[in-house]
PDB file of all heavy atoms in Angstrom:
ATOM      1  N   LYS A  77      11.915 -12.682 -11.182  1.00 98.00           N
ATOM      2  CA  LYS A  77      11.035 -11.516 -11.204  1.00 98.00           C
ATOM      3  C   LYS A  77      11.499 -10.621 -12.341  1.00 98.00           C
ATOM      4  O   LYS A  77      12.684 -10.280 -12.429  1.00 98.00           O
ATOM      5  CB  LYS A  77      11.119 -10.753  -9.881  1.00 98.00           C
ATOM      6  CG  LYS A  77      10.259  -9.490  -9.806  1.00 98.00           C
ATOM      7  CD  LYS A  77      10.466  -8.792  -8.476  1.00 98.00           C
ATOM      8  CE  LYS A  77       9.584  -7.549  -8.341  1.00 98.00           C
ATOM      9  NZ  LYS A  77       8.158  -7.906  -8.200  1.00 98.00           N
ATOM     10  N   LEU A  96      28.725 -37.730 -12.539  1.00 98.00           N
ATOM     11  CA  LEU A  96      29.255 -38.751 -13.439  1.00 98.00           C
ATOM     12  C   LEU A  96      30.705 -39.095 -13.111  1.00 98.00           C
ATOM     13  O   LEU A  96      31.178 -40.187 -13.423  1.00 98.00           O
ATOM     14  CB  LEU A  96      29.176 -38.268 -14.889  1.00 98.00           C
ATOM     15  CG  LEU A  96      27.795 -37.835 -15.397  1.00 98.00           C
ATOM     16  CD1 LEU A  96      27.909 -37.327 -16.833  1.00 98.00           C
ATOM     17  CD2 LEU A  96      26.792 -38.977 -15.308  1.00 98.00           C
ATOM     18  N   ILE A 112      26.080 -13.129 -10.564  1.00 98.00           N
ATOM     19  CA  ILE A 112      25.676 -14.125  -9.571  1.00 98.00           C
ATOM     20  C   ILE A 112      25.954 -13.527  -8.192  1.00 98.00           C
ATOM     21  O   ILE A 112      27.048 -13.037  -7.918  1.00 98.00           O
ATOM     22  CB  ILE A 112      26.446 -15.443  -9.763  1.00 98.00           C
ATOM     23  CG1 ILE A 112      25.933 -16.167 -11.023  1.00 98.00           C
ATOM     24  CG2 ILE A 112      26.283 -16.356  -8.533  1.00 98.00           C
ATOM     25  CD1 ILE A 112      26.649 -17.468 -11.337  1.00 98.00           C
ATOM     26  N   ARG A 126      34.976 -15.668 -11.155  1.00 98.00           N
ATOM     27  CA  ARG A 126      34.403 -15.351 -12.466  1.00 98.00           C
ATOM     28  C   ARG A 126      35.511 -15.155 -13.489  1.00 98.00           C
ATOM     29  O   ARG A 126      36.510 -14.473 -13.221  1.00 98.00           O
ATOM     30  CB  ARG A 126      33.543 -14.093 -12.394  1.00 98.00           C
ATOM     31  CG  ARG A 126      32.911 -13.706 -13.723  1.00 98.00           C
ATOM     32  CD  ARG A 126      31.887 -12.595 -13.592  1.00 98.00           C
ATOM     33  NE  ARG A 126      31.020 -12.577 -14.770  1.00 98.00           N
ATOM     34  CZ  ARG A 126      29.900 -11.865 -14.874  1.00 98.00           C
ATOM     35  NH1 ARG A 126      29.492 -11.115 -13.847  1.00 98.00           N
ATOM     36  NH2 ARG A 126      29.172 -11.913 -15.973  1.00 98.00           N
ATOM     37  N   GLY A 128      35.134 -13.859 -17.173  1.00 98.00           N
ATOM     38  CA  GLY A 128      34.255 -13.415 -18.241  1.00 98.00           C
ATOM     39  C   GLY A 128      32.817 -13.821 -17.978  1.00 98.00           C
ATOM     40  O   GLY A 128      32.206 -13.404 -17.002  1.00 98.00           O
ATOM     41  N   ILE A 167      17.214  -9.638 -24.405  1.00 98.00           N
ATOM     42  CA  ILE A 167      15.841  -9.357 -24.006  1.00 98.00           C
ATOM     43  C   ILE A 167      15.329  -8.160 -24.791  1.00 98.00           C
ATOM     44  O   ILE A 167      16.019  -7.146 -24.925  1.00 98.00           O
ATOM     45  CB  ILE A 167      15.738  -9.072 -22.495  1.00 98.00           C
ATOM     46  CG1 ILE A 167      16.286 -10.251 -21.689  1.00 98.00           C
ATOM     47  CG2 ILE A 167      14.292  -8.780 -22.108  1.00 98.00           C
ATOM     48  CD1 ILE A 167      15.507 -11.545 -21.820  1.00 98.00           C
ATOM     49  N   LYS A 171       6.835  -1.737 -25.880  1.00 98.00           N
ATOM     50  CA  LYS A 171       5.470  -1.511 -25.414  1.00 98.00           C
ATOM     51  C   LYS A 171       4.518  -1.742 -26.570  1.00 98.00           C
ATOM     52  O   LYS A 171       4.866  -1.512 -27.740  1.00 98.00           O
ATOM     53  CB  LYS A 171       5.316  -0.101 -24.856  1.00 98.00           C
ATOM     54  CG  LYS A 171       6.069   0.111 -23.544  1.00 98.00           C
ATOM     55  CD  LYS A 171       5.729   1.437 -22.910  1.00 98.00           C
ATOM     56  CE  LYS A 171       6.433   1.564 -21.552  1.00 98.00           C
ATOM     57  NZ  LYS A 171       6.106   2.846 -20.872  1.00 98.00           N
ATOM     58  N   THR A 173       0.713  -1.143 -28.546  1.00 97.00           N
ATOM     59  CA  THR A 173       0.077   0.099 -29.001  1.00 97.00           C
ATOM     60  C   THR A 173      -0.744   0.772 -27.914  1.00 97.00           C
ATOM     61  O   THR A 173      -1.101   1.950 -28.040  1.00 97.00           O
ATOM     62  CB  THR A 173      -0.829  -0.189 -30.216  1.00 97.00           C
ATOM     63  OG1 THR A 173      -1.772  -1.216 -29.873  1.00 97.00           O
ATOM     64  CG2 THR A 173       0.004  -0.644 -31.410  1.00 97.00           C
ATOM     65  N   ILE A 251      10.781 -16.470 -22.122  1.00 98.00           N
ATOM     66  CA  ILE A 251       9.748 -15.693 -21.440  1.00 98.00           C
ATOM     67  C   ILE A 251       9.103 -14.791 -22.479  1.00 98.00           C
ATOM     68  O   ILE A 251       9.765 -14.269 -23.376  1.00 98.00           O
ATOM     69  CB  ILE A 251      10.302 -14.852 -20.274  1.00 98.00           C
ATOM     70  CG1 ILE A 251      11.475 -13.966 -20.730  1.00 98.00           C
ATOM     71  CG2 ILE A 251      10.720 -15.745 -19.110  1.00 98.00           C
ATOM     72  CD1 ILE A 251      11.949 -12.963 -19.677  1.00 98.00           C
ATOM     73  N   TYR A 308       3.799 -33.784 -27.254  1.00 98.00           N
ATOM     74  CA  TYR A 308       2.388 -33.831 -26.899  1.00 98.00           C
ATOM     75  C   TYR A 308       2.179 -33.515 -25.424  1.00 98.00           C
ATOM     76  O   TYR A 308       1.215 -32.846 -25.040  1.00 98.00           O
ATOM     77  CB  TYR A 308       1.811 -35.210 -27.210  1.00 98.00           C
ATOM     78  CG  TYR A 308       1.222 -35.342 -28.597  1.00 98.00           C
ATOM     79  CD1 TYR A 308       2.045 -35.383 -29.722  1.00 98.00           C
ATOM     80  CD2 TYR A 308      -0.150 -35.432 -28.791  1.00 98.00           C
ATOM     81  CE1 TYR A 308       1.518 -35.506 -30.991  1.00 98.00           C
ATOM     82  CE2 TYR A 308      -0.688 -35.561 -30.059  1.00 98.00           C
ATOM     83  CZ  TYR A 308       0.145 -35.602 -31.160  1.00 98.00           C
ATOM     84  OH  TYR A 308      -0.391 -35.708 -32.416  1.00 98.00           O
ATOM     85  N   SER A 429      27.889 -20.870 -42.250  1.00 98.00           N
ATOM     86  CA  SER A 429      27.326 -19.783 -43.050  1.00 98.00           C
ATOM     87  C   SER A 429      25.806 -19.889 -43.161  1.00 98.00           C
ATOM     88  O   SER A 429      25.207 -20.940 -42.927  1.00 98.00           O
ATOM     89  CB  SER A 429      27.927 -19.794 -44.456  1.00 98.00           C
ATOM     90  OG  SER A 429      27.320 -20.795 -45.248  1.00 98.00           O
ATOM     91  N   MET A 439      20.343 -29.098 -50.875  1.00 98.00           N
ATOM     92  CA  MET A 439      21.131 -30.323 -50.703  1.00 98.00           C
ATOM     93  C   MET A 439      20.214 -31.501 -50.378  1.00 98.00           C
ATOM     94  O   MET A 439      20.335 -32.587 -50.963  1.00 98.00           O
ATOM     95  CB  MET A 439      22.146 -30.128 -49.577  1.00 98.00           C
ATOM     96  CG  MET A 439      22.901 -31.393 -49.192  1.00 98.00           C
ATOM     97  SD  MET A 439      23.926 -31.171 -47.709  1.00 98.00           S
ATOM     98  CE  MET A 439      22.649 -31.085 -46.432  1.00 98.00           C
ATOM     99  N   ASP A 449      12.519 -42.331 -54.469  1.00 98.00           N
ATOM    100  CA  ASP A 449      11.391 -43.121 -53.973  1.00 98.00           C
ATOM    101  C   ASP A 449      10.745 -42.301 -52.871  1.00 98.00           C
ATOM    102  O   ASP A 449      11.276 -42.209 -51.764  1.00 98.00           O
ATOM    103  CB  ASP A 449      11.884 -44.469 -53.442  1.00 98.00           C
ATOM    104  CG  ASP A 449      10.758 -45.362 -52.948  1.00 98.00           C
ATOM    105  OD1 ASP A 449       9.732 -44.844 -52.458  1.00 98.00           O
ATOM    106  OD2 ASP A 449      10.922 -46.599 -53.018  1.00 98.00           O
ATOM    107  N   SER A 462      12.382 -40.502 -35.084  1.00 98.00           N
ATOM    108  CA  SER A 462      12.178 -41.573 -34.099  1.00 98.00           C
ATOM    109  C   SER A 462      13.513 -42.108 -33.588  1.00 98.00           C
ATOM    110  O   SER A 462      13.679 -42.352 -32.390  1.00 98.00           O
ATOM    111  CB  SER A 462      11.346 -42.703 -34.705  1.00 98.00           C
ATOM    112  OG  SER A 462      11.974 -43.248 -35.855  1.00 98.00           O
ATOM    113  N   VAL A 469      22.733 -34.453 -31.177  1.00 98.00           N
ATOM    114  CA  VAL A 469      23.442 -35.262 -32.176  1.00 98.00           C
ATOM    115  C   VAL A 469      24.578 -34.482 -32.822  1.00 98.00           C
ATOM    116  O   VAL A 469      24.665 -33.257 -32.728  1.00 98.00           O
ATOM    117  CB  VAL A 469      22.479 -35.743 -33.278  1.00 98.00           C
ATOM    118  CG1 VAL A 469      21.350 -36.577 -32.711  1.00 98.00           C
ATOM    119  CG2 VAL A 469      21.924 -34.543 -34.066  1.00 98.00           C
ATOM    120  N   GLU A 503      30.692 -31.872 -66.338  1.00 98.00           N
ATOM    121  CA  GLU A 503      31.321 -31.548 -67.612  1.00 98.00           C
ATOM    122  C   GLU A 503      31.036 -32.674 -68.600  1.00 98.00           C
ATOM    123  O   GLU A 503      31.101 -33.856 -68.235  1.00 98.00           O
ATOM    124  CB  GLU A 503      32.835 -31.380 -67.427  1.00 98.00           C
ATOM    125  CG  GLU A 503      33.220 -30.142 -66.641  1.00 98.00           C
ATOM    126  CD  GLU A 503      34.719 -29.910 -66.637  1.00 98.00           C
ATOM    127  OE1 GLU A 503      35.479 -30.830 -67.027  1.00 98.00           O
ATOM    128  OE2 GLU A 503      35.143 -28.807 -66.236  1.00 98.00           O
ATOM    129  N   LYS A 535      17.739 -40.706 -68.369  1.00 94.00           N
ATOM    130  CA  LYS A 535      18.591 -41.785 -67.905  1.00 94.00           C
ATOM    131  C   LYS A 535      19.373 -41.330 -66.676  1.00 94.00           C
ATOM    132  O   LYS A 535      19.500 -40.136 -66.409  1.00 94.00           O
ATOM    133  CB  LYS A 535      19.545 -42.229 -69.018  1.00 94.00           C
ATOM    134  CG  LYS A 535      20.536 -41.181 -69.485  1.00 94.00           C
ATOM    135  CD  LYS A 535      21.293 -41.657 -70.735  1.00 94.00           C
ATOM    136  CE  LYS A 535      21.939 -43.008 -70.552  1.00 94.00           C
ATOM    137  NZ  LYS A 535      22.653 -43.501 -71.742  1.00 94.00           N
TER     138      LYS A 535
END
Side-chain angles (χ1 to χ4, degrees):
K77 179 182 182 70
L96 304 177
I112 288 178
R126 180 171 199 169
I167 303 295
K171 291 189 176 181
T173 55
I251 53 172
Y308 269 72
S429 78
M439 173 188 72
D449 182 329
S462 59
V469 301
E503 291 188 347
K535 63 189 307 179

